[in-house]
Amino acid sequence: MHSKNPECWLVLKRSVRFGDVDAAGVMHFHQLLRWCHESWEESIEIYGIPCLNIFPSNNSQQENPEISLPIVFCQANFRYPIKNGYKLIVRLEPTKVSGSSFELKINFFHTNNLVAVGLIRHIAINSITRERCDLPEEIEKWIEASSIALQPKII
């Protein structure tokens, strides 16, 4: 189902573009949270979970998922200015919080320096009743595989 190398789906690359920065040439604050969500989407796709299995679609021929994963908390911490042209390494660290929630810490590095950290927390709800429910099995497996991949290697 997923790539054997977790570096492919837990470590991503981004380039800061002109449209990502303000008039001072520094990344505008809202971009970081957008990038956090986009990195999560990219990670699950590379892992092997089609985004249409997780996110609603406006396509009338595509059935929407039974479980929604709304964000209930987010934060962004800029440690250094992120400038136009920077090449960033994005490292994802998913953690299961409960049977119905998880959070995702996203670390942004430039030239081996941690320049920003984002955090998003999701809960699982039934798309129709809007009641809390268990996380989708695919997301459970992604989190579990991520936690195994992130464990320090003992040599």
Side-chain angles (χ1 to χ4, degrees), residues 68 70 125-132:
S68 296
I125 61 171
N126 178 290
S127 296
I128 295 170
T129 67
R130 311 306 278 177
E131 298 291 324
R132 268 191 185 227

Side-chain angles (χ1 to χ4, degrees), residues 111-152:
T111 61
N112 294 323
N113 294 314
L114 182 63
V115 294
V117 179
L119 180 75
I120 53 176
R121 189 171 302 132
H122 297 263
I123 63 167
I125 61 171
N126 178 290
S127 296
I128 295 170
T129 67
R130 311 306 278 177
E131 298 291 324
R132 268 191 185 227
C133 61
D134 290 336
L135 290 168
E137 186 177 342
E138 294 170 307
I139 295 299
E140 288 264 9
K141 289 179 181 178
W142 174 76
I143 295 167
E144 183 179 336
S146 300
S147 66
I148 292 168
L150 292 170
Q151 290 177 355

Side-chain angles (χ1 to χ4, degrees), residues 10 12 39-40 43 90-94 104-106 142 150:
L10 292 176
L12 309 170
S39 297
W40 177 54
S43 177
V90 182
R91 184 167 187 81
L92 291 81
E93 298 177 12
L104 184 55
K105 180 180 177 186
I106 306 98
W142 174 76
L150 292 170

